[in-house]
Amino acid sequence: MAKYIFVTGGVTSSLGKGIFAASLAKLLQARGYRVTIQKFDPYINVDPGTLNPYEHGECYVTEDGAETDLDLGHYERFLNINTTQANNVTTGRVYQTVINKEREGAYLGKTVQVIPHITDEIKRRMLLLGQTLEYDIVITEIGGTVGDIEALPYIETLRQIRWELEEHDTLVCHLTLIPFLKAAKELKTKPTQHSVKELQTIGVRPDILVCRTEMPLTDDMRKKLALFCNVDRRSVIQALDVDTIYAVPLEMQDENLDITVLKKLQLSAEKPINLDKWREFLDKMRHPKGEVHIGLVGKYIELQDAYKSIHESFIHGGVANNCKVIVEPIHSEYIDEHNVEEKLGHLHAVLVAPGFGNRGIEGKITAIKYVREKGIPFLGICLGMQCAVIEYARNVLGMKTAHSTEMDAKTEYPVIDMMEAQKKVRNKGGTMRLGSYRCDLQKDSLAEKLYGKEHISERHRHRFEFNNKYIADFERAGMIATGKNPENNLVEIVEVPANDFFIGVQFHPELKSTVDAPHPLFTGLVKAAIDYKSGVKKAADVKKAAVRV
Ligand code: GLN
């Protein structure tokens, strides 16, 4: 049977429970255990797919097409494993299941209540992955903060699971904040004591305290925390602020977190830990040989979390090239033809981000025209790819009013159009083209060179697509569809071979980049940026795409 580790959070939100869970999982994986992580979110949305990125950051899509919390991205990037629909559960999904069962008559005659019906459903889902025999350890992150009304059923379920299973089969790590009071020049333990008390009133005693802090904890403080929070001394783990999330597993190892956890779960800690690759990654990240500036053109740039996976993929792609990538977020809403040079002229590459709706769309198109004509390396993702198609139609093919029917339903040239399968879709939640689909790459295309193979599969999240009616016009004019879905011929990749690096992809490569396996499109874009910067491929040499329409 699998062992279950629960991660709760106290005092405030945003303490980095996801990063902590991923780091602990990494340490246990590096000791040879098969680990997975799941997240339980206490909001009523059935999944975060309908949330604006400003609300909850990026929506992360899994191989099996689940729209999930961005923490699953951290899990995959740290562990190099795939997660699934089962790894992210929300209160909305739990209630939906229970209410559907009630309508089917599964509880006939009974009053359906939070306890036991909702907690039983939470329990079923919490234990599920551990019963597949695929994992030795399942880590469950409980979203929100202990004390929140909506987190209560989760903590109660956790209490029941602990009561039902053997003592050494479960473990609770409580992540908490030790604030530093500048005026008093002191770290304070009281908020932690209160949040542990809060947990204990619900009947859960944490085994391990993970203390987020700006300053190192003194021995006396560790002793005090242990005494008043009812844990042993070794179980007070210091989590100092660090320069990068990728340093957290090693910081946790220095605190002997893995050994303490394994002992408590009565699992062997004899196998030596192997984190060589991870250390090498961190070392390269901290000592880059050069740097490039890459623009990230999008409309949610005020919030880093909105493009989380893209930022992380740039880190992976940078390390693979021994190069620091300085990502310059550029708000697409404020780009126009008068300021585009000033905003993008100094960049070594540009990525145009995914997105929905009309806001900022013209700025994206203007940015793409500029980088295409200048020969600045370009990667367009999803809406970014669609904008590249619209730009090419307008400025090279002469279809001045070309657009996507998402923005202009009546456009004369619908070069991006709604997918046939989407036309009858009425509900918004979970109905896009989601998850992993196959794609065949054209021989000798840029894509095939970057991937080093002809058949790939990538994750999707969209309703609109390249309109195949125009494919011949585009190809004659120099924009080539170099990646297609083998089943239905959907265009997945477009390139302009006249440029050294101009590629748009309908899928989301950022969702598959990990520390162990940086994504070839990001590695390739960073490499192209380095070349562009060093002048190996001069912008002035860019051959204008031959227009033969
Ligand atoms: N809005 C576009 C579509 O639905 C692109 C989506 C995206 O960028 N993820 O097709």
Side-chain angles (χ1 to χ4, degrees):
M1 204 198 83
K3 308 267 185 182
Y4 293 93
I5 301 176
F6 296 92
V7 178
T8 58
V11 184
T12 71
S13 56
S14 307
L15 287 182
K17 285 198 296 289
I19 301 294
F20 168 75
S23 300
L24 171 57
K26 185 76 217 168
L27 294 182
L28 299 172
Q29 187 192 52
R31 284 201 178 265
Y33 290 100
R34 298 169 308 157
V35 192
T36 191
I37 320 181
Q38 53 186 357
K39 176 153 194 206
F40 282 67
D41 272 313
Y43 51 71
I44 312 284
N45 302 62
V46 172
D47 61 44
T50 52
L51 288 171
N52 184 315
Y54 287 129
E55 291 275 319
H56 210 67
E58 151 192 288
C59 171
Y60 188 79
V61 180
T62 57
E63 282 291 290
D64 64 346
E67 295 180 288
T68 71
D69 185 80
L70 58 78
D71 273 340
L72 272 77
H74 291 308
Y75 308 162
E76 293 203 359
R77 285 187 284 273
F78 273 49
L79 299 181
N80 204 32
I81 58 160
N82 284 333
T83 55
T84 66
Q85 179 70 74
N87 293 73
N88 191 197
V89 175
T90 68
T91 295
R93 193 171 291 277
V94 169
Y95 272 77
Q96 192 181 50
T97 313
V98 171
I99 292 169
N100 286 346
K101 275 171 77 178
E102 187 274 335
R103 292 289 81 184
E104 285 162 15
Y107 313 109
L108 269 190
K110 291 263 180 295
T111 310
V112 182
Q113 292 177 300
V114 173
I115 296 170
H117 301 100
I118 294 296
T119 46
D120 278 355
E121 178 58 19
I122 295 175
K123 195 185 302 172
R124 186 184 72 77
R125 290 177 180 266
M126 277 185 176
L127 299 177
L128 204 64
L129 287 171
Q131 290 157 347
T132 60
L133 304 180
E134 279 178 51
Y135 306 106
D136 305 312
I137 301 166
V138 177
I139 301 180
T140 302
E141 178 193 346
I142 297 178
T145 309
V146 167
D148 293 351
I149 291 175
E150 57 258 48
L152 258 174
Y154 293 100
I155 311 288
E156 164 59 15
T157 311
L158 192 169
R159 185 194 67 76
Q160 292 185 18
I161 291 177
R162 268 164 90 77
W163 184 81
E164 281 167 24
L165 300 184
E166 295 291 330
E167 213 180 305
H168 55 265
D169 284 338
T170 68
L171 189 86
V172 175
C173 298
H174 187 58
L175 196 66
T176 168
L177 177 72
I178 311 287
F180 178 71
L181 293 193
K182 257 201 202 118
K185 294 197 182 56
E186 250 186 293
L187 288 167
K188 289 292 180 191
T189 62
K190 192 72 84 187
T192 298
Q193 295 181 42
H194 279 298
S195 93
V196 169
K197 218 183 238 164
E198 186 79 41
L199 254 183
Q200 282 178 337
T201 51
I202 322 170
V204 173
R205 191 175 68 80
D207 301 290
I208 293 180
L209 272 189
V210 185
C211 305
R212 283 296 309 273
T213 168
E214 292 171 51
M215 305 279 174
L217 302 177
T218 60
D219 272 349
D220 277 353
M221 290 194 69
R222 287 184 192 242
K223 209 159 144 194
K224 190 170 162 191
L225 280 161
L227 176 65
F228 292 113
C229 298
N230 233 342
V231 299
D232 65 74
R233 285 278 299 280
R234 272 187 304 268
S235 298
V236 176
I237 304 286
Q238 162 183 292
L240 258 181
D241 288 356
V242 275
D243 57 337
T244 159
I245 57 170
Y246 297 103
V248 178
L250 301 177
E251 295 288 315
M252 293 296 98
Q253 195 200 358
D254 287 347
E255 288 283 302
N256 281 323
L257 174 69
D258 48 334
I259 312 253
T260 305
V261 164
L262 290 173
K263 264 202 191 130
K264 286 186 188 291
L265 292 175
Q266 294 185 3
L267 290 172
S268 153
E270 268 162 31
K271 264 200 197 159
I273 192 158
N274 184 356
L275 282 166
D276 295 351
K277 249 185 124 177
W278 194 271
R279 279 181 201 283
E280 194 189 324
F281 174 88
L282 197 62
D283 193 49
K284 278 186 168 181
M285 182 179 169
R286 284 178 167 156
H287 305 102
K289 301 238 157 38
E291 62 177 46
V292 288
H293 289 253
I294 301 188
L296 170 60
V297 176
K299 67 171 172 177
Y300 304 113
I301 53 117
E302 301 90 341
L303 189 75
Q304 267 245 358
D305 275 2
Y307 300 117
K308 191 92 223 165
S309 294
I310 292 179
H311 284 287
E312 300 306 321
S313 302
F314 272 131
I315 292 177
H316 308 157
V319 169
N321 283 288
N322 286 314
C323 179
K324 183 179 169 78
V325 177
I326 298 164
V327 179
E328 291 193 18
I330 298 161
H331 208 308
S332 57
E333 236 181 318
Y334 308 125
I335 300 177
D336 59 42
E337 55 191 68
H338 306 295
N339 64 20
V340 65
E341 166 99 32
E342 176 201 330
K343 285 187 188 279
L344 306 183
H346 62 290
L347 296 169
H348 307 123
V350 166
L351 186 150
V352 175
F356 296 83
N358 216 0
R359 186 167 67 92
I361 200 86
E362 291 304 323
K364 287 184 174 173
I365 294 170
T366 306
I368 295 170
K369 176 173 188 284
Y370 178 78
V371 298
R372 181 179 57 75
E373 290 182 345
K374 272 266 185 186
I376 297 176
F378 164 78
L379 172 62
I381 298 182
C382 208
L383 183 64
M385 171 266 199
Q386 297 175 355
C387 287
V389 170
I390 297 165
E391 188 278 317
Y392 211 78
R394 289 185 186 176
N395 300 318
V396 180
L397 284 138
M399 302 171 177
K400 290 284 171 246
T401 53
H403 221 322
S404 161
T405 51
E406 179 181 3
M407 325 300 162
D408 176 3
K410 300 208 163 48
T411 174
E412 199 183 345
Y413 302 107
V415 288
I416 302 292
D417 198 8
M418 187 176 266
M419 282 179 276
E420 222 22 68
Q422 285 290 326
K423 289 188 179 152
K424 33 188 187 306
V425 170
R426 291 288 163 266
N427 282 351
K428 291 274 185 261
T431 55
M432 281 188 253
R433 180 175 183 236
L434 289 168
S436 181
Y437 286 93
R438 291 194 297 143
C439 172
D440 290 347
L441 305 179
Q442 185 174 308
K443 243 189 154 356
D444 296 328
S445 59
L446 175 62
E448 194 237 7
K449 281 185 203 132
L450 293 171
Y451 280 91
K453 54 185 175 188
E454 274 178 69
H455 306 287
I456 59 165
S457 104
E458 290 282 3
R459 299 184 197 170
H460 296 250
R461 183 173 188 248
H462 63 118
R463 292 188 204 280
F464 294 81
E465 58 163 324
F466 183 98
N467 187 343
N468 270 331
K469 199 173 109 188
Y470 294 99
I471 199 163
D473 296 337
F474 274 89
E475 296 206 333
R476 263 198 306 275
M479 179 176 266
I480 315 292
T482 59
K484 285 187 191 155
N485 178 295
E487 277 108 48
N488 53 20
N489 243 5
L490 279 190
V491 171
E492 308 284 26
I493 306 180
V494 295
E495 293 177 23
V496 174
N499 282 29
D500 288 323
F501 197 106
F502 188 101
I503 183 163
V505 293
Q506 184 59 79
F507 48 79
H508 291 266
E510 76 276 20
L511 303 177
K512 282 182 68 166
S513 187
T514 70
V515 168
D516 276 356
H519 196 286
L521 289 179
F522 281 88
T523 313
L525 183 67
V526 176
K527 168 84 172 56
I530 296 169
D531 289 348
Y532 182 82
K533 182 184 179 186
S534 69
V536 173
K537 322 227 166 158
K538 283 209 190 80
D541 293 343
V542 171
K543 305 145 257 172
K544 280 261 162 73
V547 188
R548 276 173 275 134
V549 238

